[in-house]
Structures are given as structure tokens and as C-alpha cells.
Amino acid sequence: MGLFDLFKPEWQKSDVEVRKDAVIKLNANNQSAIETVALSDTDSEIRGIAIRKLESKEVLQKVIDSETDASNKRDAENRLLEKLADHLKNFREVVTPNELEAVAKVANSRFVDDLLKSMPSSELRLALVQISTRQSSLEYVALKDLKTDVAMAALERVERSNMLQNIFQNSRHTVVRQKAGEKLRELEKNGKTEDDQKNDTTILFRKREAILQQAQRISDSKNFMENEAEFENILQAAKELGMGPAQAELDRITDTYHLRRKAEQSRIEKANAEAHAKTDLQKRLESILAEIDKLMEGNLDENRDQLNLLIASFKAQSSKADNAMLNLFKMSMDRYNQLTEQSTEESEEDEESKASREEILAQLKVLAEADDTSKAVEHKVKVLARAWEKLPVMEGDDPELQNYNALRNKLTEKFNAQHEADEKIFNENSEKLRAIIDEVKKIDDNNDFKVISQKLRDSYKRWKEIVVDDKYRYKEIWKEYQDATSRFKEMQEWESWHNENDREALLEEMVALSKEEPSKDVLLKLRTYANQWKTAGPVSAARLNEFRDKFRALFEEIMKKCEPIIQEQEEEREKNLALKEEICQQIEELAKESDENWRDKYKTMQELQEKWKTIGMVPKDNVQAIWNRFRTAENAFFAKHKEFVKQEDFVREENYQKKVALCEKAEKLATSNDWNATSNEFRNLQEDWKNIGPAPRSKSEEIWARFRTACDGFFDRKRSHFEELDSEKAKTLAAKEALCAKLEALNFDPTDPETVKAMEEGAEEWKKLGMVPKDKIEEIWNRYSAILDKFAAKRAEVDPEYKKTAAEAKSKKESMITTVSKLMETAGSNQSADAVKNLQSEWNALPRCGAEEQELYKKFRSICDEFFTRRRDQLDIQEQARENNLQSKLRLCEEAERLLDGLTDENRRDAMNEVKQLRRHWREIGAVPRKESDKIWNRFNSACDAIFGKKPEAE
């Protein structure tokens, strides 16, 4: 490393490997450094890494113009096309020449289909259609594009008759369908075939597309190693044809094909080497097995040491042996163990043969009475029988012989029954195993191997569950199973190769991850890679340990680097644990509380549940414990809530009965014609209904409909009644208007007897007429009053006595207005209200005072309205004050009851003094609402009297 390297960033060091690692680690946001590397680094591999991270289209174009490495140039071209396509797919502004140039560049790339379907700009879609030659894409645009002009432009470039037929039948635009029909008819008219319509350019592009498809097919095929000559022929054909813009795509396919062949060749060579090693190992192990079998044919005791050495040698070399070889070894070991057991049994038999008849009978009796029918017991019986046969022969009715024969018969029956049961189980299991073999045979070779592999694992798992430890007995069926699964061996090797590639790719990703700075993203990626590693398919046994060790080493390395981040996460999880413990405590307290406000508690519980969901993870060791605590507290709360709901159901049923009673009252009142009084009663019933509370949900709608029907029935009748009255009022209004018109036509001469008579008759008639519509009352009254005032003014001119009476009435009425004004300040007083009501009665009794009557009446009515408005306000203030006083007196009651609850002989005097203070406070507090007055006083007075009069418990 040179001296100047010390002052350069990592990606500019002279060491190639250092620069490479630095460029790999460069963040995508550091585009200036990436651009510098892509344009100027001397190493083509490092430039390639930087090119794949470039974001700027201008820099990518510079790279394409200056790059000398063909592979890097192709990467830059593909990267540029990708960026241009992304830009066009998100472009929604006014089209500029830059966008049109971008369209021209991607016109023959693999992005065309996607762009024609997803570009939001119809102008750009039109431009791409006009230069595209992909018939399938043009057909899609003609069928589906929302813009008619774009669809028409695509139709103009469609040349295949089958596509024209599809557009003619299914295009979303009528004009496009019509144009497609015209083109079809023109083709039929000219009698030209589809091939006649193809121009040279179209044929050229189709040939290029066909070459790309063939090359891609060979590259992706399973037999790609056998198709090298065919691939070279395709390349030669492409060279002769000239691929034009499609050359970049062909080069990409070619590179992929060669890389794949190279990797496969390396795998084959490695597999061949492993196969040779495996063959050598197979021969050595076969030789050892042959020697073991040979020694077992001789004297076992003499050859035991040599056999043990051979067995140890086989075990030491068997880690890479196949299953068939291991099965052979297992069979030899079974035979070895059997021979060893027989040797032991023979020794035992020698001992048993020395036993007496009494001992043999005693042992047979024990075995006959036991429930054990195992192979060991059966063998023991045979040994005892051979020992018996070696004893002197017994004849006749010897009791010991008869006892022996009875015990043997009993044991034989037991063993025969066990053999039959075992045979039945064996036959049933054999049927199950053959069913598994049939399922394996039915597996479709064309399925994905992961599916096949899963089915094979499931079948083997079921096989083991059926066979358990008795494998030797089912060895013939096992051979059938192996034959059935052997056809998947090649597929398994192929899948293992793919899985190895996947795992190698994961390891490369983890190597790159190990070079990144520790962060939460690194840990997240590591977990993702670990999950992908778990789900990756199986690999060959030869490489299993290699992959496992590499992954474990990388995983531990990354975890060690991320220890500070993990520590931060653990601290955060500890905080989360504290938050969740707090929530648990709150829920536990909610469940313990005895108050009845369960509706609010239920809402609080829901809020705590939502809060729990927003809190992150807790330490792994506490996950189950905190979750169990949360669930326990939650269950306890909802158990109590359920009890509350049951109690609430009882209350709701009581409410229902109360509402039934209200309905019965309402139904009785519904036929009443006492409109005002009954209306007030119905309002009281409605107020009572509101105060009762909810009924059971299943009955709520029904009872409400019943009550509503009764109320509506009455008020509908009342409305009909008053609508009839309104009709009468209209007639009355017409009569009063006619009367006014009649009186207004008089000469108003008070000396004319006919005029006086007409006025008197008019007054009598006015009194007899009923009410008028509300909105006409004042108007018709003012009109009639004006007539009366006009006649009174004329009468006052000729009648001094009447003039004097009118003047006195005017003076009294002015005085009344003044009196009401003075009473305004004491409007809340009942005396003032009664005085005003008396003045209103006196006003009506006084005669009219002439032309000024109406003005005085308006003033009087206005001042009375203001008085009663102010009275209502003052009464509201008084009522609020009484409510405040009620709260103060309730607190005094609670204080007195608290003193009573804690009363003892020792504190009685202090309690009495405090009660005296409470009574003084009681007198200082004002009145309370009348309906509460007696109740609150009785409560307070009872508590105080009890304190003064309560005796000690001992007395």
C-alpha cells in the first residue's frame, strides 16, 4: 500500500480486494462515489459491481459509450433500459422529447409488454405502439387500451388475421371493432394469405424472437449439458441473420447458459470424484462384511476378538456408506447378536439341565400364571422342556408327569394365541404398508420435487410408525418400498443440486451481510436468511456437514458483531415487558374492583387490549409467562363482566315489566278526548320511559313498538281533532273579517242610534265567535280594536262622561305598566308573580281608553312577558343554588354517617362536638330542592341523633 492510500477512501485504495469490498458495502445513496467507480476504476469486476448500483440514466449512458468490457456494457444497457422503463411507468406529466427518446430505446426490449399495459401517459403509449412490432402486445392494446386513438394505432400495425378476428369480436371500442372488420374484409376481398401480408421487417423481427426463444429454452432445459451443439447452431444462425437490438438479450442468455454449464461441469467432476471414493469405500466395506460373515461361521468364542476389531473398523468408515450397505451390516450384526445370544442360552441350558423335576415344575408354574408371552418366556419354556426330557423317563399316572403335561398344554395354548394375534397384526400392517407402496407408485413424476419429497417423507414416517422396531419381519415388503421409491433417486439428485445452489447463494448473501455495519436491518436480514435456510430443500449427504458448518460460522460471526444492537433490543424488550406488566396489573385491578360501573370498565379493558397490541416484543424467557399472566387477568375480568351481564339481564327484565305497566297506562289513555290533560300525562309517561333504563335486547324493539303505538294513536287523534279545529278557526276568521268589514262601513256617529246599535250587536257577535288561526290572532284583533278605538274617540267628543271614564282607565293602565316595571327586580318572588297576574285580570276588566288603547296594551303585554322571562331565569338560578346546597348537605350527611360508623366509647365526645359543628354548617346552608328536602333532613338528623343517643356495645 502506498503512502497516498492512507488519505483515500476505501473504494479508491490501490488494493483490488479492498476496493471490491468497499464498493460492495457502498450505500445506494452514495451515488457520486458509485458513478466515479463505474466510469474510472481500472478493474472490470469492480466496475461491474458499481454499474449494477447506478441510478442515473445519464451516467449509465456514459458507461455504455465508454465501457470496454462486453459483459459490463450489457449490464449497463440492461440497467439503463430498466431505469427508463421505471421512469415511463411512473410518468404523468407533459411529454417532452426526452420521454419520446426513452420510448424509442425500450421499443424492442423485454419491457415493451409491461409498458403498453401500465404506462399512464396515453401519448407515450401511442408513441410506443407506432414503433413496436410485437404483435401480441399490439393485439392487447387494440383490445384493452382506454384511449381510442391508441387502440386504433395498435390495430393499424396488427397483421395477423386471427388477431384481427379477436379484436373485431372483443375490443372495448366500437370504432376499433368496425375498423378490424374492414381490415378482415379487405384481406378476404384481395384473397391474400396472412404470409402475403408480412413484410420483410416483420419476418426479421419474428426470426430474431424465435432465436431468442430457442436459446432461452435450451438454457433453461434439464438436458442443457447435452444440447451444446444445438446451442452453437442457434448462435451461428443468429450471427448470419444479425440480431440488431436483440443482440444484448441473446448475449445475456449465452452468458447464463455458459455459466450454468460451467457450474454443472464442476458439479459432475466433483460427483465423479465422490463416486470413485464411494466405490472404493464400498469395496472395503464389502470385504470387511465378508470377513465378518466368514468368522461367524467358525467358533464364535475363538473369533470374538477379531470380530470386534472388524466391527469397529466398519463403524469407523461407515459415515458415508449408503443405506443398502448399512442394512447389510445391520443384518450381520443381528446375526452376530443372535449367535451370541444362542451361545449364552446354551450355557444357560447346561445349567438348566442340571435342575430337578421339582424346580422345573415350579418355574413352569410361575411362567404359566404370568401374563408374559414374550419370545424370552417362550424360549425359557423350551429350555425347561429340554431339561425335563434329559431326566429319566416317567410312565403311567405319575402326578409330576401329569402336572408337567398340564402346565405345558396351558403354556402352549397361551403361545399359540399370541402367535395368532401377532400374525393378525402382521397381516394388517402388511396391508397398510402395501397401501403406502401403492400411494408411492401413484406419485406423479411431473410434480414439483418439493411436493414429491414431502409425500415421500410422509410415507416413510407412516412406515416407521407401523413397523416400529420389528424391521426384520417386514424386510421383504421393505424391498418393495425401496423399489417403488428408486425412480425418484435421479430427481432427488437433481433437486439436491438445485438446493445446493440455493444454499450457496444464501451463504454468499450472508458473507456480504457479515461485511455490513451492525444494524437492526442486518439482524432482520439474518433472520430472513435463517428462515430461508430452514425452508431450503435437502442436499447430498456428502455436503451436508460442509453447508451446516459454513452457515453456523457465518451466523455466529454476524450475531457477535450485532451484540450491541441485540443488547439495545433486549433493553427495549425489557421496557416492553414493564409496559405489559403494567397493563396486566391494571387489568387485575379492574377485575378486583367492586364498583358496578362495568360499562366504563369494559371500555377501559378494550383500550388496554389495543394498547397491548401496540407494544413490541419482550425478552424470550418472559414471553410465555407475561402472556399467561395477561390471559389470566383477561379471563378473570371477563368472568366478572359475565356476572355483571347476568345481573344486568335481571335488571333489564325488571325494566321490561315497568315498561309493560307504562304501555298498559298508555293504552288506556290512548282513547281519551281530554287533549291537554292527557297530553301532559303522556309526556310524563314518556319521561318515565326514559328514566327506566333498557329492557332485554330480545324484547326491546317489541315493547318500544307497543308503547310508541299507544302514544302515536293518541297524538294522531289529537292532531286530527285540532286539524278540524283549524278548519273551524279559518271559518271564524272569515266571519270576523266580515264583521270588521261591516263595522268599518259605519259612519261611527255616536249620536246615530243605528250606528250605536250596530256597534253593540257587533261586540256581542265578536264575543260569540270562536278562535282564529294562531298566526292571524293579532292581526284580526288589531283590526277590530282599531274600529272600537275609532268609535270611542268619536263618542268621547260628544260624551264628556265617557271621555272622563276613558281618561281614568288610561291613567290606571299607565299606572299598571309602571307597577309591573317596579316588580321586575323581584320577579323570582311568588308575591310579585301573583301581583302581576292580578294586574293582568284588572286590565281586562277596565274599559278601553280610546285611540291610545292599542299602544298601551302592547306596552303592558311586553312588560309582562319580560317579567315572566326574568322570573324563569331567577327561578333557574334559585334551582341551581338549591342543587348546590343539596350537594353540600349530602357531604354533611356522609360526614355524619362516617362519624357514626367509627363511633366508640372513647371517641363519642369528640364525635358529638363534630356533630354540633356539622349542624351549625347545616343551618348556614340554604334551601334544597323541595322534593329532596325531607329526605335529606331525615338522613342527616337520623345520623346525628344516633351519635348522641347510641349506647356502647357492653351496655
Side-chain angles (χ1 to χ4, degrees):
M1 181 183 291
L3 178 63
F4 292 109
D5 270 5
L6 297 173
F7 306 99
K8 292 180 181 179
E10 295 289 322
W11 53 271
Q12 286 185 331
K13 301 285 188 182
S14 58
D15 191 307
V16 173
E17 290 302 322
V18 173
R19 288 207 315 279
K20 180 179 176 181
D21 290 342
V23 173
I24 291 173
K25 293 178 182 178
L26 276 177
N27 192 292
N29 295 328
N30 193 0
Q31 283 294 303
S32 59
I34 293 171
E35 290 170 3
T36 302
V37 174
L39 290 168
S40 60
D41 198 281
T42 57
D43 187 87
S44 62
E45 184 181 0
I46 296 175
R47 291 201 306 275
I49 296 171
I51 288 169
R52 289 188 286 275
K53 291 187 175 186
L54 281 174
E55 299 290 338
S56 169
K57 295 186 285 294
E58 292 76 11
V59 176
L60 283 167
Q61 187 59 55
K62 289 180 182 178
V63 171
I64 293 170
D65 295 338
S66 62
E67 182 59 59
T68 57
D69 185 84
S71 178
N72 285 348
K73 191 167 187 175
R74 284 195 300 274
D75 288 344
E77 289 171 347
N78 290 331
R79 182 74 170 167
L80 177 59
L81 290 174
E82 182 182 344
K83 288 296 173 185
L84 290 173
D86 289 343
H87 172 67
L88 293 174
K89 280 195 287 187
N90 298 299
F91 186 78
R92 299 178 182 274
E93 301 172 8
V94 179
V95 175
T96 66
N98 290 335
E99 280 69 45
L100 294 175
E101 183 181 351
V103 167
K105 288 181 178 178
V106 301
N108 293 299
S109 70
R110 67 180 186 277
F111 301 104
V112 171
D113 290 349
D114 189 30
L115 289 172
L116 285 174
K117 294 176 183 178
S118 59
M119 268 196 303
S121 171
S122 59
E123 187 176 351
L124 292 178
R125 294 201 305 276
L126 179 60
L128 185 54
V129 162
Q130 290 171 343
I131 58 177
S132 177
T133 59
R134 290 177 180 263
Q135 291 291 294
S136 59
S137 301
L138 294 171
E139 179 189 20
Y140 176 85
V141 174
L143 285 167
K144 303 291 185 182
D145 201 279
L146 297 176
K147 294 290 185 179
T148 306
D149 55 342
V150 178
M152 284 293 290
L155 175 63
E156 291 296 334
R157 298 180 64 80
V158 173
E159 299 172 354
R160 300 180 184 177
S161 59
N162 61 331
M163 292 183 177
L164 288 171
Q165 185 67 35
N166 188 24
I167 295 168
F168 171 66
Q169 293 175 348
N170 300 312
S171 176
R172 69 190 305 155
H173 302 289
T174 303
V175 65
V176 174
R177 294 198 300 272
Q178 292 172 349
K179 185 64 176 177
E182 292 174 5
K183 291 190 72 172
L184 282 170
R185 286 191 293 273
E186 185 179 349
L187 284 175
E188 293 173 359
K189 181 178 178 181
N190 296 335
K192 294 181 179 180
T193 64
E194 186 177 344
D195 292 335
D196 294 332
Q197 298 298 314
K198 295 179 181 177
N199 55 40
D200 294 340
T201 304
T202 303
I203 293 172
L204 177 63
F205 275 103
R206 288 181 184 169
K207 287 182 178 180
R208 289 173 177 171
E209 188 173 354
I211 286 174
L212 290 175
Q213 291 175 352
Q214 292 178 21
Q216 189 68 56
R217 176 183 60 78
I218 293 174
S219 178
D220 293 342
S221 71
K222 290 185 178 180
N223 301 324
F224 66 94
M225 291 297 291
E226 302 171 6
N227 297 333
E228 184 178 13
E230 186 179 354
F231 194 84
E232 292 299 328
N233 291 336
I234 290 172
L235 294 180
Q236 183 61 34
K239 183 177 180 182
E240 294 172 358
L241 180 65
M243 294 300 288
Q247 185 63 45
E249 181 66 12
L250 180 62
D251 290 343
R252 183 192 66 77
I253 295 171
T254 303
D255 290 346
T256 302
Y257 175 73
H258 288 313
L259 286 173
R260 191 178 176 196
R261 280 186 59 83
K262 184 177 179 181
E264 178 64 9
Q265 187 62 40
S266 175
R267 187 192 71 81
I268 291 172
E269 292 173 357
K270 187 174 182 180
N272 289 337
E274 291 175 354
H276 289 308
K278 189 174 181 180
T279 301
D280 294 341
L281 175 64
Q282 193 87 350
K283 291 179 179 178
R284 289 198 302 274
L285 294 177
E286 287 175 355
S287 175
I288 293 173
L289 283 178
E291 187 66 22
I292 289 173
D293 292 339
K294 182 179 179 182
L295 289 173
M296 285 193 294
E297 295 296 331
N299 190 315
L300 189 64
D301 292 332
E302 294 178 0
N303 299 331
R304 192 177 301 280
D305 292 340
Q306 192 173 354
L307 279 168
N308 288 336
L309 289 174
L310 290 171
I311 291 170
S313 175
F314 187 96
K315 289 180 178 179
Q317 302 179 58
S318 64
S319 60
K320 295 184 179 181
D322 58 20
N323 290 334
M325 182 60 66
L326 292 174
N327 285 335
L328 290 173
F329 177 71
K330 186 177 182 305
M331 291 173 67
S332 296
M333 288 299 96
D334 291 342
R335 187 183 174 200
Y336 174 76
N337 293 332
Q338 186 177 6
L339 291 173
T340 302
E341 187 177 339
Q342 288 177 359
S343 177
T344 305
E345 290 171 358
E346 288 173 359
S347 300
E348 291 175 354
E349 288 177 8
D350 292 340
E351 294 296 326
E352 295 287 352
S353 63
K354 300 174 184 178
S356 66
R357 284 191 173 88
E358 291 79 6
E359 292 173 345
I360 293 173
L361 289 172
Q363 292 184 47
L364 286 174
K365 184 178 181 181
V366 171
L367 295 175
E369 292 174 353
D371 293 331
D372 192 356
T373 56
S374 63
K375 297 288 185 184
V377 172
E378 189 175 3
H379 176 73
K380 180 72 172 176
V381 170
K382 291 178 181 179
V383 171
L384 291 172
R386 284 196 292 270
W388 180 276
E389 291 170 359
K390 292 179 181 180
L391 294 172
V393 177
M394 301 177 67
E395 295 179 357
D397 298 330
D398 187 278
E400 288 185 345
L401 179 60
Q402 292 178 357
N403 190 14
Y404 170 77
N405 290 334
L407 290 173
R408 282 297 309 275
N409 291 336
K410 184 177 180 180
L411 287 167
T412 300
E413 289 175 1
K414 285 175 62 176
F415 293 138
N416 289 339
Q418 183 62 43
H419 293 161
E420 289 176 2
D422 291 344
E423 187 65 24
K424 183 178 179 182
I425 293 172
F426 174 76
N427 293 332
E428 290 174 354
N429 288 344
S430 297
E431 290 180 8
K432 294 177 182 178
L433 296 176
R434 287 197 168 84
I436 293 174
I437 293 170
D438 291 339
E439 291 177 12
V440 171
K441 290 179 179 179
K442 291 177 182 179
I443 295 175
D444 188 357
D445 295 358
N446 297 320
N447 283 344
D448 183 73
F449 187 74
K450 288 184 179 179
V451 177
I452 295 174
S453 180
Q454 183 60 47
K455 289 182 178 179
L456 291 176
R457 284 196 292 271
D458 291 343
S459 69
Y460 183 65
K461 181 180 178 182
R462 285 187 290 146
W463 186 284
K464 289 198 298 183
E465 289 172 353
I466 295 170
V467 172
V468 193
D469 296 327
D470 201 4
K471 297 179 182 178
Y472 184 78
R473 191 172 186 187
Y474 298 95
K475 63 181 180 179
E476 295 301 326
I477 305 177
W478 172 250
K479 291 178 181 179
E480 295 179 26
Y481 179 80
Q482 287 184 316
D483 292 339
T485 57
S486 62
R487 62 192 175 105
F488 300 112
K489 187 173 182 180
E490 184 179 351
M491 291 180 67
Q492 186 176 5
E493 292 176 356
W494 176 261
E495 187 67 20
S496 296
W497 177 76
H498 277 289
N499 294 338
E500 289 171 8
N501 289 340
D502 292 342
R503 290 183 184 270
E504 285 172 351
L506 273 175
L507 290 174
E508 290 176 4
E509 294 286 350
M510 290 185 67
V511 169
L513 190 66
S514 67
K515 296 177 181 178
E516 294 185 17
E517 292 298 321
S519 66
K520 290 184 178 180
D521 289 339
V522 169
L523 282 173
L524 183 61
K525 287 181 182 178
L526 181 61
R527 293 190 187 99
T528 302
Y529 293 155
N531 291 333
Q532 291 176 359
W533 186 269
K534 290 177 183 176
T535 57
V539 299
S540 63
R543 302 196 65 188
L544 179 62
N545 292 336
E546 173 193 347
F547 280 118
R548 183 181 58 204
D549 294 343
K550 285 183 179 179
F551 178 81
R552 185 178 296 166
L554 287 168
F555 186 88
E556 292 173 354
E557 178 185 349
I558 296 170
M559 288 293 287
K560 187 174 181 181
K561 287 180 66 175
C562 293
E563 280 181 357
I565 307 297
I566 296 172
Q567 184 62 33
E568 290 179 10
Q569 289 183 338
E570 286 300 321
E571 292 173 0
E572 183 178 350
R573 290 178 179 181
E574 288 291 343
K575 294 178 182 177
N576 293 340
L577 177 62
L579 292 173
K580 289 194 173 184
E581 287 176 340
E582 182 181 350
I583 289 176
C584 291
Q585 184 177 355
Q586 291 176 2
I587 296 175
E588 290 163 352
E589 290 173 358
L590 278 179
K592 290 178 183 177
E593 291 174 3
S594 59
D595 64 87
E596 298 300 323
N597 193 13
W598 276 94
R599 296 186 186 279
D600 293 340
K601 289 167 73 173
Y602 185 77
K603 291 180 181 178
T604 303
M605 181 64 186
Q606 289 179 315
E607 291 171 1
L608 291 173
Q609 286 176 319
E610 291 300 319
K611 186 177 178 182
W612 177 279
K613 295 175 184 177
T614 61
I615 300 173
M617 298 177 66
V618 301
K620 188 175 181 181
D621 295 341
N622 302 99
V623 170
Q624 194 60 44
I626 192 64
W627 172 248
N628 290 341
R629 182 181 176 186
F630 176 75
R631 291 295 296 169
T632 302
E634 198 176 38
N635 292 337
F637 173 85
F638 284 115
K640 286 197 173 183
H641 181 261
K642 187 175 181 181
E643 294 175 5
F644 160 73
V645 171
K646 288 182 180 178
Q647 180 63 28
E648 188 181 49
D649 289 342
F650 177 76
V651 173
R652 283 175 180 256
E653 186 60 34
E654 289 184 340
N655 293 340
Y656 173 74
Q657 297 302 327
K658 293 177 183 178
K659 289 187 175 183
V660 169
L662 289 184
C663 288
E664 292 171 351
K665 291 180 182 179
E667 287 163 352
K668 289 179 181 178
L669 291 171
T671 58
S672 173
N673 292 329
D674 187 357
W675 308 116
N676 291 333
T678 306
S679 295
N680 291 332
E681 288 191 49
F682 265 107
R683 291 189 186 96
N684 292 334
L685 290 177
Q686 290 170 337
E687 191 65 29
D688 292 342
W689 183 280
K690 293 178 185 176
N691 295 332
I692 286 175
R697 288 187 179 88
S698 60
K699 302 177 182 179
S700 179
E701 290 295 328
E702 172 195 348
I703 196 66
W704 167 245
R706 180 180 174 185
F707 182 71
R708 184 67 182 269
T709 300
C711 294
D712 290 347
F714 169 77
F715 286 108
D716 287 344
R717 290 177 55 251
K718 179 182 177 181
R719 184 167 54 256
S720 299
H721 170 73
F722 282 101
E723 284 174 357
E724 292 177 5
L725 287 181
D726 289 341
S727 176
E728 293 295 327
K729 288 178 181 179
K731 293 178 182 178
T732 303
L733 175 63
K736 287 189 174 184
E737 287 176 341
L739 177 61
C740 289
K742 177 182 175 182
L743 295 177
E744 287 167 349
L746 298 174
N747 56 17
F748 294 100
D749 183 0
T751 60
D752 184 353
E754 291 184 0
T755 300
V756 173
K757 182 181 178 181
M759 289 297 294
E760 290 174 352
E761 290 176 350
E764 289 299 322
E765 185 179 351
W766 182 273
K767 291 178 182 178
K768 292 178 182 178
L769 292 172
M771 308 234 357
V772 299
K774 191 175 181 179
D775 58 338
K776 296 293 184 180
I777 292 175
E778 187 170 357
E779 179 186 338
I780 195 66
W781 172 251
N782 289 339
R783 183 178 177 183
Y784 180 66
S785 296
I787 294 170
L788 294 177
D789 292 343
K790 185 177 180 180
F791 181 76
K794 292 285 186 181
R795 185 178 177 184
E797 291 175 0
V798 298
D799 187 350
E801 188 65 28
Y802 180 80
K803 184 177 182 180
K804 181 181 177 182
T805 302
E808 289 175 355
K810 177 184 176 183
S811 177
K812 287 182 179 180
K813 289 182 178 181
E814 287 175 342
S815 175
M816 288 179 181
I817 293 172
T818 303
T819 301
V820 174
S821 178
K822 289 179 180 178
L823 292 172
M824 196 73 70
E825 295 302 322
T826 58
S829 167
N830 290 334
Q831 292 92 342
S832 297
D834 292 339
V836 171
K837 291 176 183 177
N838 292 332
L839 288 174
Q840 287 176 323
S841 300
E842 290 177 19
W843 182 285
N844 293 330
L846 289 173
R848 299 182 68 83
C849 55
E852 297 177 347
E853 174 68 24
Q854 279 299 97
E855 188 64 30
L856 285 173
Y857 178 70
K858 288 181 180 177
K859 287 182 179 179
F860 182 71
R861 188 175 67 180
S862 176
I863 198 78
C864 287
D865 289 344
E866 183 179 353
F867 173 85
F868 285 109
T869 299
R870 185 170 294 188
R871 174 175 171 77
R872 281 193 298 273
D873 293 342
Q874 290 183 10
L875 288 176
D876 289 342
I877 293 171
Q878 291 175 8
E879 186 63 25
Q880 184 60 48
R882 287 189 176 97
E883 286 291 339
N884 294 338
N885 294 340
L886 176 62
Q887 296 301 319
S888 299
K889 288 190 175 183
L890 282 171
R891 285 194 289 273
L892 292 180
C893 289
E894 292 169 357
E895 185 64 22
E897 288 164 351
R898 182 187 63 79
L899 291 171
L900 180 60
D901 290 340
L903 187 65
T904 62
D905 288 343
E906 289 76 13
N907 64 10
R908 179 182 292 277
R909 184 175 297 280
D910 293 337
M912 293 170 66
N913 291 332
E914 287 192 46
V915 167
K916 292 176 182 177
Q917 292 291 336
L918 294 178
R919 282 180 166 172
R920 276 196 293 273
H921 288 313
W922 184 278
R923 289 192 291 272
E924 292 170 359
I925 298 171
V928 301
R930 186 170 299 169
K931 63 180 181 180
E932 301 288 344
S933 179
D934 292 341
K935 184 166 63 175
I936 193 71
W937 166 247
N938 290 335
R939 178 181 173 185
F940 178 73
N941 199 40
S942 297
C944 294
D945 289 347
I947 292 172
F948 278 100
K950 187 175 182 180
K951 300 293 183 181
E953 294 295 332
E955 297 177 8

